[in-house]
Amino acid sequence: MPRAVVSGGAGFIGSHLCDALLARGWEVLAIDSLLTGSERNVEHLAAEPRFQLARADVAAGVPVVDGRVDAVLHLASPASPADFERLAVEILDAGTYGTRNLLELAAAHGARFLLASTSEVYGDPEVHPQPESYWGNVNPIGRRSCYDEAKRAAEAYVSAFRRYRQVDTRIVRIFNTYGPRMRIDDGRAIPNFLVQALRGIPLTVYGDGSQTRSLCHVRDLAGGILAVLERGDRRPYNVGNPHEVTVSALAALVIKTTGSASSIENLPLPEDDPRRRCPDITRVRGLGWEPQVQLEDGLRETVAYFQEVV
């Protein structure tokens, strides 16, 4: 039975990835500091003998892992815009110290290492859609730089360990993802809109709402990550849904799906907020992966979750 270590395993994406690994017959050791993750996200796995949750901050050090380790998947990092000011140093630490510590774990066990990077490495892109070959347009000292540059540094660490320490590595650049288990204070469009709609207050659209996002359901994303883990190569892979939707259209769809009477309120666009975000997924399609969940269907499922927690 293969065994995976998943950092950030009690987070939004990490918990779904643990589900997907267990469904494929893996043992899973999830490591999470619970800074932004939650035991609630994995409470359904409490009776699963192949799952274990260890509370630890991988930036400070990785717990001793006995037994075999076949894969190390690094998802640990605060990732929400709401975190960029209050947890900026912790985000930088997760991308640098945390990545280094988990790469050392993979090297010690001869395990495959997968980094959950981000579309934010492209910054506010001047190329559309964004292929993996695009180097990005990133402000290194802006309010979002703690996250953008932490992930760029993490990719550099992964590349160095592959070249000079012979670690078998994978890099996944995750685009906008949504679904059950998102934090209600996440700060991104869908959780913001859902909380506002369910509370009957105006939905806040930044700018004129013409900026676009490409939204991938979290179960689709988990499948894409595992496709890269199992069949990918050393080069980065974009994983996301290439279907674009404007922020204004998304707000209107949330109002329709929730049946809310909320209005829409426009506010100034935040600094360095990307105007367009859309992945070129040609490479990951070559692994046989394609997003399946339609936005309307995935949004209804997400609404049902938010109705329980808001």
Side-chain angles (χ1 to χ4, degrees):
M1 185 181 297
R3 186 176 184 225
V5 173
V6 180
S7 74
F12 162 50
I13 294 175
S15 63
H16 284 278
L17 188 58
C18 290
D19 289 343
L21 285 163
L22 290 164
R24 296 191 185 202
W26 288 69
E27 284 188 43
V28 176
L29 169 60
I31 302 175
D32 203 299
S33 69
L34 302 182
L35 179 63
T36 57
S38 171
E39 289 181 299
R40 174 192 171 97
N41 291 336
V42 292
E43 64 184 2
H44 63 288
L45 300 176
E48 171 55 67
R50 292 179 293 121
F51 177 79
Q52 179 184 356
L53 175 64
R55 184 169 183 175
D57 178 0
V58 295
V62 177
V64 175
V65 180
D66 296 322
R68 67 183 291 175
V69 177
D70 299 282
V72 177
L73 299 92
H74 181 23
L75 288 89
S77 175
S80 301
D83 299 329
F84 292 168
E85 291 192 17
R86 70 184 186 93
L87 298 175
V89 174
E90 289 84 352
I91 290 169
L92 286 161
D93 287 348
T96 53
Y97 299 122
T99 303
R100 169 68 185 269
N101 290 338
L102 288 161
L103 280 163
E104 294 285 5
L105 175 68
H109 286 267
R112 179 170 292 171
F113 181 93
L114 182 141
L115 171 69
S117 187
T118 174
S119 60
E120 298 295 336
V121 301
Y122 300 124
D124 189 3
E126 297 173 330
V127 173
H128 188 82
Q130 293 85 60
E132 291 89 349
S133 58
Y134 178 51
W135 289 0
N137 177 38
V138 178
N139 177 359
I141 59 171
R143 293 181 182 275
R144 304 173 70 95
S145 64
C146 59
Y147 187 63
D148 302 357
E149 299 293 8
K151 291 296 188 179
R152 288 162 71 96
E155 290 195 16
Y157 261 117
V158 169
S159 300
F161 268 71
R162 173 180 52 77
R163 291 189 184 104
Y164 308 118
R165 298 280 294 275
Q166 290 73 54
V167 176
D168 183 17
T169 62
R170 304 286 188 272
I171 296 173
V172 171
R173 291 174 178 164
I174 297 172
F175 280 68
N176 293 97
T177 306
Y178 73 100
R181 303 179 202 161
M182 290 192 89
R183 289 163 45 196
I184 64 173
D185 62 347
D186 179 272
R188 283 174 278 202
I190 283 186
N192 277 358
F193 290 165
L194 286 177
V195 170
Q196 291 164 341
L198 292 172
R199 290 177 175 169
I201 60 178
L203 275 62
T204 51
V205 171
Y206 295 102
D208 62 5
S210 64
Q211 64 271 35
T212 67
R213 297 294 181 264
S214 304
L215 301 164
C216 185
H217 191 275
V218 66
R219 284 197 303 276
D220 278 343
L221 179 79
I225 291 173
L226 293 187
V228 174
L229 177 71
E230 295 167 353
R231 303 186 295 279
D233 59 37
R234 61 179 177 79
R235 294 177 295 158
Y237 286 85
N238 292 334
V239 179
N241 192 323
H243 175 69
E244 284 184 270
V245 60
T246 67
V247 173
S248 287
L250 179 61
L253 182 59
V254 166
I255 289 173
K256 176 183 176 182
T257 305
T258 57
S260 174
S262 293
S263 59
I264 293 176
E265 177 183 7
N266 292 87
L267 296 177
L269 197 66
E271 179 186 20
D272 298 327
D273 191 61
R275 296 290 306 173
R276 299 188 77 181
R277 182 74 83 213
C278 181
D280 179 335
I281 62 169
T282 302
R283 274 180 44 74
V284 74
R285 277 176 170 149
L287 304 179
W289 178 83
E290 186 87 28
Q292 301 295 322
V293 179
Q294 297 297 312
L295 178 58
E296 292 79 2
D297 297 332
L299 194 57
R300 280 193 291 271
E301 181 184 0
T302 310
V303 167
Y305 173 79
F306 270 71
Q307 286 172 330
E308 294 180 3
V309 298
V310 170

